[in-house]
Amino acid sequence: MDDELLELQRQFEFAQQAKSNIRLSERNVVELVQKLQELHIIDFDLLHTVSGKEYITPEQLRNEMVAEIKKQGRVSLIDLADATGVDLYHVEKQAQHVIKDHLDMMLVQGEIMSESYWDSIAEEINERLQECSQIALTELAAQLNVGLELVASMLEPRLGTMVKGRLEGGQLYTPAYVARVGAMVRGAARAITVPTNLSLLWSLLQQLLQAMDGTSSVVVEGAFFQSLFNGLVKESEILGALRAGIHWTPAVFAIAQKESVDSFFSQNSFISYDVLQKLGIPQPIQFLQSRYPEGIPLDTMFVHPSMIEMLDAATEDALERGSWSDALSVLPSSFTPQDASKMLNFCPSVQSALKSNKAHIFGDFYVLSFSFMKGICEHLVKEMETLGVSGSSGIKMLSDSQAAKEAKVGQDFTRSSESNETATDGGAIKHVDRGSKKKKGKATGNAAAIVSDSAADIPEQTSTKSKRSQRRGKDTSSSQMSDSKTGSRKESLKTKEDSLRSPSDEWIMQKIMTLVPDFEEQCVDDPETILRPLANHLRPTIMASWMEKKKALFTENAERMKSLLDNLQKKLDESFLNMQLYEKALELFEDDQSTSVVLHRHLVRTVAAPMVDMLLRKLDEHNKLKSGLEVEEASNSDLLTLSPGERAAISKSLPGALGKKALGVVEALEGKRVETFMDAFREVAEESGLSLKKLDKKLERTLLHSYRKELTSQISVETDPISLLAKVVSLLYVQVYHKALQAPGRAISVAISQLKDKLDESSFKILTDYQSATVTLLALLAAATGDEEDCTSDRILSKRELLESQMPTLKSLV
């Protein structure tokens, strides 16, 4: 066997050394390789080199690439293509396989890097870091020509091993430097004794480092300081509270805060929120409630329940003596009226007295007993009887509805005063008025009072049955009576006038100050605090004595007054809505000042004037009825037009502010702007208690539809060629602009010109030709005088016939 093998080896060696006479060219070799691949004898991939003279398998290419990468550590794909002599395409393709098979390699931006490369880089970085104490990752990334995130991801697993340092905020620091800066942060934080913004502290530490190290100092970011600070807080090396990451409150300050608050509150039983804010406590109410659960928060103070007990005892004593109490005089001077008002809410005696109608609160902090107010009321009634109310200078006129309401309330007060021990009317404190704190006086007494003003909600006993009617009655009341009647008539009116008089607020206030001198001291600067609310509160009882006579005097006119106001309201609703509808059309002519003035005047004189005449007549009639005068009903009074003098005379006869505002609307009729009239009309309507409907979209569409329907009907039956033009133009404005235009004859031409862009050329020409013919006819009619009358009549007849022939064409436009 061995001999046979030796023989075969000799033959093989001979065959190898023998020189063949036949040589294959490169082309034949290529064809031979292709044939072998076709026959699947070569069943693996072959890659051409760049020179085209060599074949290489993918496995061999990957091996050569791996060898080159391990040799250099970091190689670009372009360099690998040059080293292996293979096209870049194949190198890129095989690079993916290399990365997948070798987990210690990575492909980044066309370069393959190995872990050994990063290990060597980490050693170099560590050497450099130990020399300069700090290195920025941005600087390393720029030097290595790689991304910042890649550098950070490669360094993080090597920190503490190959790289002796700490990575913070994009910077590498040595442990020694970290310890140094940490010691500075610890010392600075422990030195803080007040709430501090840490950003300011970090900037000071940066300046300190620069001063210590000079130009070679390391730039330290605030995030690095913050990280060290958070670590110290977590390890309890510094004590305190951190809010929002940068607001630091040291524990020593919090302790001092609590001690200061505890000391003040324990000594005074109250503390102001301002005090806590000055101590740096941002939410004083929450802080105090958590520390003193039994305490009571007010508007500006936090009080202990003992303060409530003290105020309750003082107030209860005043109520039992039938006197009054000023809560602010009992409380320390730092308390506000709002604080005193809230404290009264917590006083049991005050709550009990309010529920049983034995007391009333005025001006937030004045508590008056029922008997005290009753004594004042009785004294004032007696004094009025003594002086004679009708001749007193302190008496003023009062309206029908107001007098009725006050007398009704006064009667209820009287009934309540007889049974106040058992009266119950809810437990809430009723605040009549708010005032500022004034000079405090001692509680004085020995008087009585009227009951709670909860009875003020009782409906007035007049003929009106709605709030609107009540308001009308109040605002359209009379203040004086006409003295132009006969002597017997004057005497009767005088009696009725006296019955309508009532004491003024000033008279009542003056008498109260006479009875209770302490009130004058309390209200030397602001009588609104107690005097005026008390006077308003006592008025209903004072008025009760006059109400019976007054009710008999006006009963017969009550139903008629109600009917008058209801009818007036209905007519005003319709007229004022139409006025608003016509007003909207004026907006189209705001750019043409002269035409706008004409249209405004026309609308005021044709639509507004009748509406004002109607309103003035009805208000005058209502005023006379309320004064007890007999007024004859005029069947056609609404159709009569008042002169400017008559309007002014009626306006002046109306009472008080209503008369002034009525004069204003009369003056607005002579003006040039509809807006001025509308504002004046709204004011007089509001003053008289009448409501004016506002034109909304729904109402506008309804009115426009009715207006359009009416115009269409009028045009269809119109036979006058001159009147037809204005109606057609108005209907066109409704169709084109959705506006209801009211235009006089001299504004028709401008109104037609506004339609030019809205109508087709033929329709517009029909309209303008008809308008020109109408103007010519009107000119002829105006010139038809004297000797030329016959000739002019023929021309007028001819022009009228021409217009009548064009009327069907004009009507067809709409």
Side-chain angles (χ1 to χ4, degrees):
M1 187 66 179
D2 293 337
D3 295 336
E4 292 178 358
L5 288 174
L6 292 174
E7 180 62 26
L8 288 173
Q9 288 177 353
R10 283 194 294 272
Q11 292 177 5
F12 183 68
E13 184 178 0
F14 177 76
Q16 286 180 329
Q17 294 177 355
K19 294 183 179 181
S20 175
N21 294 328
I22 301 173
R23 297 182 62 86
L24 296 175
S25 64
E26 290 181 3
R27 181 179 180 83
N28 292 334
V29 173
V30 171
E31 292 176 351
L32 180 60
V33 171
Q34 291 177 349
K35 187 65 176 177
L36 292 174
Q37 287 179 328
E38 292 174 359
L39 297 174
H40 300 289
I41 297 175
I42 297 178
D43 56 355
F44 47 84
D45 294 333
L46 290 177
L47 303 176
H48 288 282
T49 61
V50 177
S51 63
K53 296 182 178 181
E54 295 178 299
Y55 287 102
I56 185 171
T57 63
E59 291 78 4
Q60 181 60 29
L61 176 59
R62 288 196 292 270
N63 292 336
E64 292 182 7
M65 290 172 63
V66 170
E68 188 68 20
I69 293 169
K70 289 182 177 181
K71 177 181 178 182
Q72 299 188 25
R74 175 180 179 180
V75 187
S76 68
L77 297 181
I78 296 175
D79 293 339
L80 284 175
D82 293 339
T84 57
V86 180
D87 187 76
L88 179 61
Y89 170 76
H90 299 297
V91 173
E92 291 177 345
K93 187 176 180 181
Q94 298 304 319
Q96 301 298 329
H97 296 285
V98 171
I99 298 304
K100 186 182 296 184
D101 296 339
H102 297 79
L103 299 179
D104 60 339
M105 297 182 183
M106 63 180 69
L107 178 61
V108 179
Q109 297 178 355
E111 292 184 315
I112 298 178
M113 306 175 189
S114 64
E115 288 292 332
S116 59
Y117 167 76
W118 286 111
D119 291 341
S120 62
I121 292 298
E123 293 175 356
E124 295 176 6
I125 292 173
N126 185 58
E127 292 176 0
R128 181 178 172 186
L129 177 62
Q130 303 309 318
E131 293 176 1
C132 58
S133 300
Q134 179 264 357
I135 303 176
L137 292 189
T138 54
E139 182 182 349
L140 294 176
Q143 291 176 356
L144 297 175
N145 195 24
V146 294
L148 184 64
E149 294 181 359
L150 178 61
V151 175
S153 64
M154 292 299 103
L155 284 178
E156 285 178 356
R158 294 173 173 81
L159 290 175
T161 54
M162 302 184 71
V163 179
K164 306 297 183 182
R166 175 173 176 171
L167 179 61
E168 194 71 48
Q171 299 281 340
L172 274 174
Y173 304 99
T174 60
Y177 190 79
V178 171
R180 177 190 177 194
V181 175
M184 294 178 64
V185 171
R186 184 187 301 106
R190 288 179 176 176
I192 295 174
T193 58
V194 295
T196 304
N197 189 313
L198 294 179
S199 300
L200 177 62
L201 180 61
W202 305 152
S203 63
L204 293 175
L205 289 179
Q206 287 175 346
Q207 296 175 10
L208 180 61
L209 284 173
Q210 292 176 359
M212 292 170 59
D213 299 338
T215 56
S216 61
S217 64
V218 178
V219 178
V220 180
E221 298 291 337
F224 181 46
F225 290 122
Q226 189 70 43
S227 176
L228 294 175
F229 181 84
N230 292 340
L232 293 172
V233 172
K234 188 175 181 180
E235 295 170 3
S236 300
E237 293 193 33
I238 51 177
L239 302 177
L242 187 63
R243 293 184 299 104
I246 58 172
H247 298 289
W248 172 250
T249 302
V252 63
F253 180 80
I255 295 172
Q257 273 183 332
K258 294 177 182 178
E259 291 178 351
S260 177
V261 172
D262 290 343
S263 174
F264 189 95
F265 192 72
S266 61
Q267 292 177 14
N268 300 281
S269 297
F270 72 90
I271 189 169
S272 170
Y273 301 143
D274 291 339
V275 173
L276 273 71
Q277 289 174 346
K278 290 178 181 179
L279 290 174
I281 300 175
Q283 296 179 327
I285 296 179
Q286 291 81 345
F287 175 84
L288 291 170
Q289 285 180 327
S290 63
R291 195 156 185 82
Y292 311 107
E294 73 284 359
I296 301 172
L298 305 177
D299 285 0
T300 65
M301 296 285 176
F302 191 86
V303 299
H304 191 269
S306 60
M307 292 288 292
I308 302 293
E309 295 172 359
M310 179 267 294
L311 178 62
D312 183 64
T315 307
E316 185 178 12
D317 178 66
L319 295 178
E320 288 178 351
R321 291 185 290 105
S323 181
W324 63 282
S325 173
D326 174 12
L328 281 183
S329 66
V330 180
L331 299 172
S333 60
S334 55
F335 280 69
T336 66
Q338 292 74 22
D339 294 327
S341 176
K342 268 196 172 182
M343 291 184 69
L344 290 175
N345 284 328
F346 293 102
C347 293
S349 64
V350 176
Q351 292 297 307
S352 176
L354 290 173
K355 288 181 180 180
S356 58
N357 290 328
K358 293 181 179 179
H360 198 88
I361 294 179
F362 295 95
D364 287 341
F365 50 87
Y366 290 98
V367 184
L368 277 65
S369 68
F370 179 91
S371 56
F372 177 76
M373 292 187 292
K374 182 180 178 182
I376 293 177
C377 185
E378 291 175 349
H379 185 89
L380 292 181
V381 170
K382 291 180 180 179
E383 186 159 346
M384 288 172 61
E385 293 175 353
T386 302
L387 295 176
V389 175
S390 62
S392 175
S393 60
I395 306 303
K396 68 176 182 179
M397 296 297 295
L398 194 65
S399 69
D400 177 38
S401 62
Q402 186 178 0
K405 183 174 182 179
E406 292 189 359
K408 173 62 178 174
V409 175
Q411 292 168 359
D412 292 338
F413 285 167
T414 304
R415 287 194 296 269
S416 178
S417 65
E418 297 172 354
S419 58
N420 62 75
E421 297 297 329
T422 59
T424 57
D425 192 32
I429 292 181
K430 184 172 182 66
H431 298 279
V432 175
D433 187 28
R434 289 190 173 272
S436 59
K437 178 178 178 183
K438 301 298 175 184
K439 181 179 179 181
K440 306 176 188 64
K442 296 181 180 179
T444 61
N446 82 70
I450 55 176
V451 295
S452 166
D453 65 344
S454 60
D457 294 329
I458 299 175
E460 54 182 275
Q461 302 300 311
T462 62
S463 60
T464 56
K465 63 179 179 180
S466 64
K467 290 185 178 179
R468 184 186 71 189
S469 299
Q470 292 171 10
R471 185 177 179 188
R472 290 174 187 157
K474 177 180 177 180
D475 292 334
T476 60
S477 62
S478 62
S479 64
Q480 294 180 349
M481 304 302 299
S482 174
D483 58 353
S484 60
K485 304 296 181 179
T486 63
S488 60
R489 189 65 175 172
K490 289 181 180 179
E491 197 171 333
S492 174
L493 293 179
K494 179 63 177 176
T495 303
K496 295 179 180 180
E497 180 181 339
D498 290 343
S499 68
L500 289 176
R501 294 182 180 273
S502 71
S504 66
D505 288 347
E506 288 70 21
W507 185 85
I508 297 177
M509 290 163 58
Q510 184 64 38
K511 295 302 177 181
I512 292 175
M513 285 191 292
T514 303
L515 292 172
V516 189
D518 286 342
F519 280 170
E520 185 174 4
E521 298 178 5
Q522 297 284 327
C523 306
V524 64
D525 297 324
D526 186 8
E528 302 295 333
T529 304
I530 176 64
L531 284 179
R532 192 172 298 278
L534 180 57
N536 292 333
H537 193 72
L538 296 179
R539 179 185 297 279
T541 304
I542 299 172
M543 286 301 302
S545 60
W546 284 276
M547 197 55 215
E548 288 301 323
K549 180 179 179 181
K550 180 178 179 300
K551 286 171 61 177
L553 186 64
F554 295 108
T555 298
E556 59 183 85
N557 286 340
E559 192 63 31
R560 185 175 171 185
M561 290 162 53
K562 175 183 177 297
S563 176
L564 182 147
L565 290 177
D566 289 343
N567 292 335
L568 176 59
Q569 181 68 66
K570 292 177 183 178
K571 293 179 180 179
L572 276 186
D573 286 343
E574 179 180 356
S575 301
F576 194 71
L577 285 175
N578 288 333
M579 188 68 183
Q580 294 178 80
L581 182 68
Y582 300 147
E583 182 187 13
K584 285 183 172 291
L586 302 181
E587 300 171 357
L588 301 173
F589 299 90
E590 290 298 328
D591 296 336
D592 188 347
Q593 189 62 33
S594 59
T595 304
S596 179
V597 171
V598 171
L599 292 174
H600 277 258
R601 284 181 174 176
H602 176 74
L603 189 56
V604 168
R605 292 174 182 175
T606 58
V607 181
M611 186 165 58
V612 172
D613 292 347
M614 175 185 65
L615 177 63
L616 291 177
R617 283 196 190 92
K618 298 302 181 182
L619 290 180
D620 182 49
E621 183 178 350
H622 184 269
N623 186 34
K624 292 176 180 178
L625 289 173
K626 288 189 72 65
S627 300
L629 300 178
E630 295 182 4
V631 181
E632 295 182 0
E633 295 186 7
S635 58
N636 297 324
S637 62
D638 291 346
L639 302 178
L640 299 177
T641 301
L642 297 176
S643 66
E646 291 173 331
R647 294 174 185 142
I650 293 176
S651 299
K652 291 178 181 178
S653 70
L654 296 176
L658 179 60
K660 295 179 181 179
K661 293 185 178 180
L663 279 175
V665 80
V666 171
E667 293 173 357
L669 284 178
E670 305 301 323
K672 300 179 181 180
R673 300 296 297 178
V674 172
E675 295 87 345
T676 305
F677 166 77
M678 297 292 275
D679 292 341
F681 194 82
R682 288 188 180 96
E683 288 181 3
V684 73
E686 181 181 358
E687 186 66 27
S688 61
L690 296 169
S691 62
L692 296 176
K693 286 187 178 180
K694 186 176 181 181
L695 184 66
D696 55 21
K697 294 295 184 181
K698 184 177 180 181
L699 279 174
E700 184 177 359
R701 286 194 298 269
T702 303
L703 291 177
L704 276 176
H705 177 73
S706 300
Y707 184 63
R708 179 174 182 173
K709 186 176 180 180
E710 181 182 354
L711 283 176
T712 303
S713 176
Q714 292 177 5
I715 290 173
S716 64
V717 298
E718 183 61 62
T719 58
D720 182 11
I722 297 176
S723 301
L724 178 64
L725 179 61
K727 295 177 180 179
V728 169
V729 171
S730 296
L731 185 54
L732 286 174
Y733 266 75
V734 174
Q735 295 174 347
V736 173
Y737 291 104
H738 303 291
K739 304 287 185 182
L741 178 66
Q742 292 285 322
R746 56 177 174 167
I748 289 294
S749 60
V750 179
I752 291 175
S753 65
Q754 289 273 18
L755 296 170
K756 183 175 182 180
D757 296 334
K758 303 297 182 179
L759 301 177
D760 57 71
E761 187 174 347
S762 61
S763 298
F764 184 74
K765 187 175 186 304
I766 293 171
L767 194 60
T768 54
D769 290 346
Y770 192 92
Q771 189 263 339
S772 299
T774 303
V775 172
T776 303
L777 176 58
L778 291 174
L780 291 174
L781 290 172
T785 58
D787 299 335
E788 300 179 357
E789 184 174 351
D790 294 338
C791 180
T792 303
S793 297
D794 294 339
R795 294 173 63 188
I796 290 173
L797 183 59
S798 174
K799 185 60 69 175
R800 180 179 290 276
E801 291 176 352
L802 176 62
L803 282 176
E804 289 176 350
S805 65
Q806 294 178 355
M807 286 177 63
T809 306
L810 185 64
K811 291 182 179 181
S812 66
L813 296 181
V814 293

